[in-house]
Amino acid sequence: MPSSTHRNTRPAHLITAIAAIGALSLSACAPTGANSAETQKGGVLVYATGDAEPACLDPHVGGNYPQALVTTQFLEPLFGRDADGKIVPWLATEWEAADDGLSWDFTLRDDVTFTDGTPFNAEAVKANIEHVQDPETQSSTGFIALKKVTSVEAIDATHVRFNLSEPDSALPESLSQHWIAMESPAGIERGMEENCKAPIGTGPFIVESRVPQEKITLVRNDDYVTTAPEADHEGAAHLDGIEWRYIPDAATRQAALASGEVHVIDNPLPSDIAAAKGAGFTHIDAPRPGSVNRIELNAGQTPFDDIRVREAFIKSADPGPGIKSLFHGTATQSFSPLSSTEPLGISDEKLFTTDPKAAEKLLDEAGWTEKDADGVRLRDGKRLTVRIPVSTNQSNQAEQSLFEQIQANTAAVGFEVVLNPVDLPSWHKALSAKEYEAVSAPYTKVGPDVLRTLYHSANLVPAPSGYFANHAMVSDPKIDALLVDAATNADPEARKKAAAEAQELVMQGYWILPLYDQQNHFLVNGATGVTAIGTIATPTLLNAQLTK
């Protein structure tokens, strides 16, 4: 029988602390807005996003952040995470791992129904996990997170067992993410095309309609059962609904916020964030968990298959001044693979010290001794070229300017950095075809297990969607062993030690150049109660109210 390691039956939104897998912390994400203003009853909140419009609203398909942004409003996962970084109940109330770690038992709420009337129960959980794992679903993020799950058993209506190929101490963290949120099995059975248009969840809102390239209309779920850890009241949302607009241009979003046409925007320009207080707007700073924004160097091909060339690139890139000047104080340079929201992150600034003379010496030692008329180093007649595909849907103007500064800095020692701005589908295609020497690829996952996702050699193999997460092409048996230990060890201290050692090896191998936390900023005007959830830091509008 499983040994009880994680139990709590109190309502999720009343929990302040609970046993967790590791001690994880989160930056403050309290409800915000014009708290002193008088609120109005009902109304439609307008949210304008600058993220790319998802081709499919079902986060099981693919699994990207723009999907999570909107689906947070109508889909819910099994677990949440509190302000101390501990895993807490959401749709599941209790969880326990077997003594051998090869199964987890979860107890589910018995009072929740999907908005199409389908009951939320163990069979629904089983259907959802099998949907994520089905290759035809083309999942990436969820599929990778559930790799160790071999089967799911519905014990009875409120008890479900996950069987594993090997222990996975991070499973509750994985199940807290919206890429594995619960959807109506009846909705899933409609087929991918219909489910992509409007997934059916248990959350506070319902997808009413969608106009591609323009907006999604959400209406209140009047029968909402309070399950979300962030809920500040019982029952349904205050708003009548949400109009979720897609406005790619940051200046246009900002103008719409200033005029009162929209109430919440994401991805504001750093300069607009700096000016938010003076404009009377509320600023929510909610860095994403897991990894930092970083440049990953592809060690699977020339020139970064040589550690000396990787180190030379990092010693010449010098991102610090650009981060300071371009981001107007909204981003801080990182020296760690993990986000500042993850307390298990190890920071090692000395490894990332800028030293152009040392970089030149390293390149000489690696055989890149000649230069052409453009000042680009040569070896055997080939230029020292670094192709960096840049997703214009994921990278803001400040970051693109930072890449240009890094391009100029590394050119001074002989690198030719080719920045290739492309849309998101073309970016994914370039990665799948290995048509890159370096890339900045954001990846959000709750907890330090993101290290295994990004740097274990098993993740050189693509998911059914074609996506693979180990873009630096790290293949190191010692790192693999440490990451397995960090993922399978039930002892929090042992897990912490293994994660720390793995991070040190990743940094010492010069596979990555950390930049800053994955930026997640929101500006609010004319509303209160907008809250970032404690897991993947997406906004929830469950508590939101418009102000008069």
Side-chain angles (χ1 to χ4, degrees), residues 98-104 150 162-168:
D99 290 336
D100 61 6
L102 293 178
S103 67
W104 281 83
T150 56
F162 284 51
N163 297 308
L164 310 177
S165 59
E166 61 180 284
D168 186 359

Side-chain angles (χ1 to χ4, degrees), residues 93-346:
T93 60
E94 300 176 13
W95 55 104
E96 52 187 0
D99 290 336
D100 61 6
L102 293 178
S103 67
W104 281 83
D105 281 7
F106 302 107
T107 302
L108 311 175
R109 291 186 67 116
D110 61 3
D111 56 349
V112 175
T113 302
F114 292 99
T115 55
D116 64 353
T118 302
F120 168 73
N121 54 27
E123 288 291 347
V125 174
K126 175 179 169 67
N128 272 265
I129 300 305
E130 291 175 349
H131 183 238
V132 174
Q133 293 186 314
D134 185 346
E136 293 189 4
T137 302
Q138 300 174 42
S139 172
S140 59
T141 310
F143 183 90
I144 292 170
L146 296 174
K147 270 189 173 181
K148 295 183 181 181
V149 178
T150 56
S151 65
V152 178
E153 299 176 60
I155 307 301
D156 57 38
T158 59
H159 295 86
V160 63
R161 177 170 296 159
F162 284 51
N163 297 308
L164 310 177
S165 59
E166 61 180 284
D168 186 359
S169 297
L171 185 60
E173 295 167 2
S174 295
L175 294 172
S176 75
Q177 301 172 127
H178 270 74
W179 299 285
I180 316 177
M182 296 294 106
E183 303 177 16
S184 164
I188 291 172
E189 289 173 3
R190 296 174 300 174
M192 182 182 290
E193 183 176 354
E194 286 302 310
N195 205 49
C196 278
K197 293 177 182 177
I200 299 167
T202 61
F205 296 94
I206 303 168
V207 179
E208 182 181 65
S209 62
R210 182 184 185 188
V211 180
Q213 308 300 316
E214 185 179 332
K215 66 179 179 180
I216 300 170
T217 300
L218 308 174
V219 296
R220 181 175 56 219
N221 172 14
D222 291 329
D223 298 321
Y224 178 66
V225 174
T226 308
T227 59
E230 284 74 29
D232 66 0
H233 66 286
E234 292 287 340
H238 302 297
L239 300 169
D240 293 325
I242 304 166
E243 184 176 298
W244 193 274
R245 294 187 190 174
Y246 290 96
I247 303 179
D249 182 68
T252 304
R253 288 196 306 279
Q254 185 70 19
L257 182 76
S259 70
E261 180 183 346
V262 305
H263 303 98
V264 184
I265 66 170
D266 59 31
N267 294 287
L269 296 173
S271 56
D272 289 332
I273 296 172
K277 187 174 181 181
F281 304 151
T282 297
H283 170 221
I284 302 172
D285 182 9
R288 300 181 195 179
S291 71
V292 293
N293 264 3
R294 67 219 173 278
I295 293 178
E296 298 171 292
L297 306 183
N298 182 355
Q301 60 199 42
T302 305
F304 290 136
D305 54 352
D306 188 327
I307 188 175
R308 294 170 296 185
V309 182
R310 299 198 298 270
E311 184 178 356
F313 184 90
I314 287 170
K315 287 190 178 302
S316 60
D318 195 20
I323 293 171
K324 184 176 291 187
S325 63
L326 293 168
F327 287 84
H328 296 270
T330 64
T332 301
Q333 185 175 3
S334 173
F335 303 99
S336 171
L338 290 183
S339 165
S340 65
T341 68
E342 302 292 352
L344 298 192
I346 300 298

